[in-house]
């Protein structure tokens, strides 16, 4: 039963990832992704490791609390997040083929997924109170519990959510996009803020992918 349930989850998640990846077949989407990638700068990576360290520390503390170490994906035999396709119920060649396929589909679409989350959780943050920004950061973390991450780990991702909000506000207030007129209207400044937090989010995700890849290779 668990094997069948795991397969259904992986099939659904794989389809969702593929739905995002196939958008890259459109020329305008590819151009947009290239624009996001070209805008990556050192400042988008410099805080990633400290933020990740904060997430790890908070997660380690929270999962000690009864109930917060639970996640539905691990409960049915999954490992980490279903987005990576790793499951204890996979054996033989599938043990590495499924994760390889998932990562191959996921990585090219990371800029699009990061931008989608930033539009949802950060856009308009310049008008929010401090407590609303904190609440949205927590909501950003908890959303990840819906995709199977343990509740305590999802809550710890609020640290990342707070960092991305800061990046959004940095982009909104200052910005460095040569295409942005300093006297532009509110909407254009919001778009620039989203682009800044998207790049910070993308740098964060890319670093995680590299670290996971290194851990996998060392484990192998």
């Amino acid at each position: 039963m668990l094997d069948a349930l795991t397969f259904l989850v992986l099939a659904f998640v794989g389809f969702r990832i593929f739905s995002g990846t196939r958008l890259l077949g459109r020329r305008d989407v590819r151009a947009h992704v290239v624009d996001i990638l070209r805008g990556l700068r050192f400042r988008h990576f410099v805080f990633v490791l400290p933020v990740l360290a904060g997430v790890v520390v908070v997660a380690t503390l929270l999962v000690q609390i009864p109930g917060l170490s639970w996640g539905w994906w691990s409960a049915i035999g999954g490992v980490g997040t279903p987005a990576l396709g790793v499951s204890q119920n996979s054996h033989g060649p599938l043990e590495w083929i499924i994760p390889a396929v998932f990562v191959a589909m996921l990585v090219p679409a990371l800029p699009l997924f990061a931008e989608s989350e930033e539009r949802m959780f950060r856009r308009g943050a310049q008008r929010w109170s401090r407590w609303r920004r904190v609440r949205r950061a927590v909501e950003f973390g908890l959303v990840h519990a819906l995709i199977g991450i343990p509740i305590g780990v999802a809550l710890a991702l609020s640290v990342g959510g707070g960092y991305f909000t800061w990046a959004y506000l940095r982009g909104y207030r200052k910005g460095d996009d040569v295409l942005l007129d300093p006297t532009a209207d509110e909407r254009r400044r919001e778009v620039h803020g989203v682009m800044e937090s998207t790049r910070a989010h993308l740098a964060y995700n890319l670093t995680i992918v590299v670290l996971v890849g290194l851990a996998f290779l060392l484990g192998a």
Side-chain angles (χ1 to χ4, degrees):
M1 177 62 181
L2 289 180
D3 286 344
L5 187 55
T6 301
F7 173 79
L8 289 175
V9 170
L10 290 177
F12 174 76
V13 173
F15 175 76
R16 295 293 297 172
I17 294 174
F18 174 74
S19 297
T21 305
R22 69 177 180 177
L23 292 175
L24 294 172
R26 291 170 40 185
R27 182 177 299 178
D28 60 326
V29 174
R30 290 199 305 273
H32 182 60
V33 167
V34 169
D35 182 54
I36 293 175
L37 293 173
R38 283 179 175 171
L40 285 173
R41 298 291 185 270
F42 176 73
R43 69 173 183 274
H44 299 122
F45 291 90
V46 68
F47 294 111
V48 170
L49 291 180
V51 171
L52 277 175
V55 171
V56 170
V57 170
V58 174
T60 301
L61 294 174
L62 288 177
V63 295
Q64 306 305 314
I65 300 175
L68 295 189
S69 62
W70 185 87
W72 64 261
W73 176 234
S74 58
I76 65 173
V79 177
T81 167
L84 295 179
V86 181
S87 170
Q88 296 176 8
N89 297 324
S90 298
H91 305 288
L94 290 179
E95 189 174 357
W96 63 268
I97 290 177
I98 294 177
V101 171
F102 271 50
V103 171
M105 291 192 299
L106 179 64
V107 171
L110 281 178
L112 298 179
F113 291 134
E115 183 181 34
S116 176
E117 290 187 342
E118 291 310 301
R119 285 178 176 173
M120 182 182 302
F121 289 100
R122 250 63 71 179
R123 189 166 187 172
Q126 74 278 3
R127 296 188 296 271
W128 301 346
S129 67
R130 180 177 301 176
W131 290 113
R132 184 177 178 185
R133 291 172 185 169
V134 171
R135 189 192 74 195
R136 291 297 283 167
V138 173
E139 290 171 352
F140 165 78
L142 285 176
V143 161
H144 292 78
L146 298 179
I147 61 172
I149 292 176
I151 298 171
V153 178
L155 281 170
L157 292 178
S158 303
V159 175
Y163 165 60
F164 301 144
T165 299
W166 175 78
Y168 168 88
L169 295 173
R170 177 180 64 187
Y172 176 84
R173 292 167 180 163
K174 297 181 179 179
D176 62 357
D177 191 334
V178 296
L179 299 179
L180 182 67
D181 183 345
T183 61
D185 59 23
E186 182 83 349
R187 181 177 177 277
R188 290 187 63 188
R189 294 177 69 190
E190 286 185 352
V191 169
H192 188 74
V194 169
M195 287 295 286
E196 180 68 11
S197 60
T198 294
R199 288 169 177 139
H201 195 158
L202 176 59
Y204 175 91
N205 286 343
L206 288 174
T207 301
I208 292 176
V209 169
V210 170
L211 292 176
V212 170
L214 289 175
F216 179 79
L217 290 175
L218 292 174

